[in-house]
Amino acid sequence: MKNKTIFILLIIFFIQNKITLAQDYPLASWIGSDTKNYTSANRTREDIKKIVIHATSVENLQSTIEWFTHENLKHVSAHYVIDKDGTSYQFVLEKDVAHHATSREYNKISIGIELVGDHMHNPNYMTDKMYSSLAGLVSQICQKYNIPMDRKL
């Protein structure tokens, strides 16, 4: 009975603190987006056909974390964020639909990746570490969902 009580308390703790044990990319740290900023779903490998890569409009990771982890006016999120030092963070599980593209239909069939950097004011924001991390993440997603690595915009 004691073990069952501890197990139930742990589950409640995980739910209340939005902690997941099901991270998709082992090299990413889990942060988790506000639940109003994405749509819960049960997408399968067949549902995901594209990867969308964006640059944030802010210079630092902390601003991106604040934007995604709190309910925001546009209800935006991304599955992954890569910081300037190459560190990857996951905000939305791949089975769920992140709100990263302007098209709802496009969001349903894609994984969204945000690169931290104000591309509008600094077109050279990408670092070698970001490129390296992005290549590893994209490669893993392409293999997992059988997305050809020859796609263009």
Side-chain angles (χ1 to χ4, degrees), residues 57-69:
S57 57
V58 296
E59 265 302 316
N60 61 66
L61 175 65
Q62 190 56 43
S63 295
T64 304
I65 291 172
E66 289 295 320
W67 188 251
F68 286 169
T69 58

Side-chain angles (χ1 to χ4, degrees), residues 8-85:
I8 291 170
L9 290 173
L10 279 173
I11 290 174
I12 292 169
F13 174 79
F14 280 114
I15 292 170
Q16 288 177 338
N17 292 286
K18 299 180 189 172
I19 296 172
T20 182
L21 299 176
Q23 186 172 318
D24 295 300
Y25 184 57
L27 298 179
S29 297
W30 176 260
I31 292 182
S33 186
D34 186 284
T35 56
K36 291 182 177 69
N37 297 340
Y38 68 92
T39 303
S40 292
N42 255 333
R43 298 188 303 171
T44 66
R45 291 177 189 233
E46 291 75 33
D47 296 325
I48 298 168
K49 298 172 178 18
K50 298 188 181 293
I51 300 169
V52 176
I53 302 169
H54 293 115
T56 65
S57 57
V58 296
E59 265 302 316
N60 61 66
L61 175 65
Q62 190 56 43
S63 295
T64 304
I65 291 172
E66 289 295 320
W67 188 251
F68 286 169
T69 58
H70 295 88
E71 180 181 0
N72 56 68
L73 295 175
K74 296 185 179 185
H75 299 286
V76 297
S77 61
H79 293 93
Y80 296 97
V81 171
I82 299 176
D83 196 14
K84 294 175 191 174
D85 67 359

Side-chain angles (χ1 to χ4, degrees), residues 98-123:
H99 304 163
H100 56 88
T102 55
S103 164
R104 182 180 302 183
E105 292 307 310
Y106 218 78
N107 286 335
K108 288 180 182 178
I109 62 167
S110 63
I111 300 289
I113 303 171
E114 292 281 343
L115 306 172
V116 175
D118 186 356
H119 66 284
M120 298 171 105
H121 296 100
N122 181 9

